[in-house]
Amino acid sequence: MHSLIIFASGKGSNAQAIIDYFKNNGLAKVSLIVSNKANAGVLNIAEKERIPSMIVDKAMMNSDELVQQLQAYNPSFIVLAGFLWKISQSLVKAFPEQIINIHPALLPKYGGKGMYGHNVHEAVIATGEKESGITIHYVDEVYDNGSKILQAYCPVMAGDTADALAERIHKLEHFFYPRTIEYLLENI
Ligand code: GAR
């Protein structure tokens, strides 16, 4: 059984979708949830699902100690699901091609520092884009830059609010993120 580690900073709806998808499928399980926020909703999910969790601070994020702690879970993938902080060089080096991220827009557009959650949707709407979507990609040393694994599209409707667009994007994410992880696991 493959082990997955999820990093998340927020509500954790993607984490929940991944946990649910693999719950009865025998291919993988989420063995650890890491957050940088002590009050993140994703930590309630960890508790409810009886999955170990860990809170990291900035110093910890750049430490060899974190690498060792994560290695103890022998993860096939580290899955970023709404994680706010940049991933350190030491993590990228320790887990080459094993860290993936989901971004709520069609990279390379609307990526980079500060482009997180609602900021992304507001920028997409303000620019008058007719479509948006999601990008699942490998994580390298540069923010939102690693090679793409999958993109999926949805329309931006006239009069969309950031909330309405976020909801449409979340539906895409919840469908495609677990299935993309499954695809990767079956092909390593
Ligand atoms: C997701 O939409 C994810 O794509 C986005 O944060 C949201 C987290 O939602 N990630 C980024 O913006 C990364 N730059 P969730 O906590 O409900 O899974």
Side-chain angles (χ1 to χ4, degrees), residues 10-15 81-82 101-104 115-117 120 144 170 173:
K11 195 167 78 159
S13 71
N14 277 285
N101 181 43
I102 193 162
H103 188 77
M115 277 300 181
Y116 175 82
V120 176
D144 289 338
H170 265 115
E173 294 187 325

Side-chain angles (χ1 to χ4, degrees), residues 136-179:
I136 298 171
H137 64 94
Y138 288 105
V139 172
D140 65 14
E141 292 82 355
V142 185
Y143 227 81
D144 289 338
N145 171 74
S147 53
K148 293 187 193 76
I149 302 163
L150 176 131
Q151 288 191 310
Y153 296 74
C154 67
V156 180
M157 312 281 203
D160 257 354
T161 58
D163 276 345
L165 182 55
E167 200 183 319
R168 205 171 302 125
I169 295 279
H170 265 115
K171 281 194 183 136
L172 282 183
E173 294 187 325
H174 299 163
F175 184 83
F176 283 107
Y177 211 9
R179 286 166 177 83

Side-chain angles (χ1 to χ4, degrees), residues 15-34:
Q16 185 74 63
I18 294 164
I19 293 164
D20 290 346
Y21 188 81
F22 289 107
K23 214 170 245 174
N24 298 311
N25 113 340
L27 180 66
K29 70 166 187 163
V30 177
S31 49
L32 177 70
I33 293 180
V34 178

